[in-house]
Amino acid sequence: MRQSKVLTIGEVLVEIVATERGDGFRQPVGLIGPYPSGAPAIFIDQVGKLGQAAAIVSRVGDDDFGHVNLERLRRDGVDVSGIEVDPLGTTGSAFVRYRDDGSRAFVFNIRHSACGTIELKGAAAALAESCTHMHVMGSSLYAPSVVEAVLQATRIIKKNGGTVSFDPNLRAEILNSPGMREALSVVLAETDLFLPSGEELFLFSPAGSEQEAIANLLKSGIKAVVLKRGAAGASYFDKDRQISLPGFKVTEVDPTGAGDCFGAAFVTFWLAGADPETALRYANAAGARAVTRSGPMEGASTRAELDALIAEQRS
Ligand code: ATP
Ligand code: MG
């Protein structure tokens, strides 16, 4: 059997965070950053940190924000040969400020940054041929060229006998953009593992209840649904089994990145042939550790760190 290798495609950004809570950026406010970020980048960093072969296709500028990301991803074992460094481009960014109620105000520079023009050509296309699993991030479907690259890589990996996971973390403006429903239905048709969070369960399966939504998704050809429930943990569903595990008890400092680290751990253990309960336990541990650190990628964990959290909460 070929050694498994996970691919994702999408935004590589820096995140710059307001140091005081409040509503947005209409007045001067203290900032801290840059932190390496972007949902697919956080996901793939966590996959790499667990020792699973991993790669990402993206674009950054030849600037400090790009190099912050390249260095972190390389350090954590991610193949960055599919990240094109554009000498004339600028790396994407997200300014984030938490409001008192825990919601977030953002200023994004994604579509018009270097990662707005990702394409699956040359080295990136060859990389797709070498990978056995594709992880699609809903947040990455922000520009037509990126959507095309994601669909192309998904087809290549499926044609080669690989598998696909899909985290539908879509922002509303993405969902309603032209052609998006069609693109999403193509992705869904290829999805083996669907990883929604909360209400995202109902995005493609408008049903009256959770059970009904899950039954519809499993009937459509998806092999398993993994539903993230924040601090309450997560559940796994396939045609034979339903498993729910509570969340680990931790102090939440910064929720950003929890879903991405959770998904990365689940996919890594699933690909390694772990039973769903084990994969779910490690995924819950990865999500829990992610929220204990400020900075979106700072809470990615090693296998030893996940084992330590699991052992600590067992005793
Ligand atoms: P994100 O904000 O990164 O998109 P998400 O909405 O996709 O996250 P969540 O359900 O918020 O996903 O979190 C993913 C997982 O992380 C949860 O299923 C759980 O395992 C873990 N998790 C999140 N928040 C907490 C918390 N406060 N305490 C313990 N575990 C948590
Ligand atoms: Mg999410």
Side-chain angles (χ1 to χ4, degrees):
M1 214 175 75
R2 271 206 300 169
Q3 204 226 335
S4 67
K5 184 166 182 176
V6 179
L7 180 69
T8 194
I9 298 182
E11 66 278 22
V12 166
L13 316 171
V14 290
E15 187 167 305
I16 296 167
V17 189
T19 52
E20 298 154 50
R21 290 188 173 236
D23 190 22
F25 294 96
R26 304 263 176 123
Q27 274 90 40
V29 60
L31 299 167
I32 185 163
Y35 292 108
S37 190
I42 299 164
F43 170 88
I44 211 70
D45 187 73
Q46 176 62 91
V47 173
K49 222 169 167 177
L50 289 171
Q52 162 68 50
I56 181 168
V57 169
S58 190
R59 294 181 89 243
V60 293
D62 190 8
D63 50 27
D64 286 347
F65 290 176
H67 290 289
V68 159
N69 275 287
L70 287 166
E71 280 164 24
R72 174 64 63 87
L73 292 168
R74 256 190 223 117
R75 185 199 80 184
D76 290 340
V78 177
D79 176 349
V80 295
S81 64
I83 302 183
E84 191 185 345
V85 180
D86 176 0
L88 299 177
T90 302
T91 302
S93 58
F95 289 74
V96 187
R97 188 172 187 189
Y98 282 91
R99 300 191 185 90
D100 283 328
D101 66 2
S103 67
R104 291 172 273 188
F106 286 103
V107 175
F108 286 117
N109 171 31
I110 301 177
R111 262 184 314 136
H112 299 291
S113 75
C115 69
T117 49
I118 296 168
E119 289 185 326
L120 201 73
K121 289 192 310 202
L127 192 58
E129 292 285 352
S130 77
C131 289
T132 64
H133 182 87
M134 174 72 190
H135 182 73
V136 180
M137 275 290 180
S139 67
S140 302
L141 306 173
Y142 51 82
S145 76
V146 196
V147 174
E148 189 43 44
V150 166
L151 294 179
Q152 241 178 294
T154 301
R155 285 192 208 101
I156 290 171
I157 287 173
K158 273 286 169 131
K159 170 191 69 137
N160 292 340
T163 46
V164 172
S165 50
F166 178 34
D167 179 340
N169 57 348
L170 292 149
R171 292 186 297 273
E173 76 272 16
I174 291 184
L175 193 59
N176 299 321
S177 64
M180 188 50 60
R181 284 277 169 184
E182 293 78 356
L184 289 170
S185 68
V186 174
V187 172
L188 264 188
E190 303 289 4
T191 294
D192 299 287
L193 205 54
F194 185 56
L195 299 152
S197 157
E199 293 299 308
E200 291 167 356
L201 176 64
F202 299 100
L203 271 175
F204 307 106
S205 177
S209 70
E210 193 176 291
Q211 287 300 326
E212 195 188 328
I214 284 156
N216 289 340
L217 290 164
L218 293 175
K219 239 183 284 163
S220 76
I222 289 171
K223 292 199 187 65
V225 178
V226 184
L227 182 61
K228 293 168 268 176
R229 303 184 193 272
S235 303
Y236 170 93
F237 306 87
D238 65 22
K239 65 179 180 25
D240 307 314
R241 282 163 294 193
Q242 294 196 12
I243 303 162
S244 285
L245 293 179
F248 287 89
K249 289 185 183 56
V250 293
T251 305
E252 183 174 304
V253 175
D254 177 358
T256 307
D260 309 326
C261 290
F262 174 100
F266 192 90
V267 166
T268 297
F269 280 85
W270 184 79
L271 285 173
D275 61 86
E277 187 174 335
T278 302
L280 201 59
R281 182 170 298 110
Y282 277 98
N284 265 342
R289 284 200 83 258
V291 306
T292 64
R293 297 291 168 84
S294 51
M297 203 187 276
E298 308 311 303
S301 306
T302 62
R303 169 74 188 256
E305 287 165 337
L306 299 182
D307 283 332
L309 180 63
I310 291 168
E312 172 200 309
Q313 302 219 350
R314 251 197 202 126
S315 61

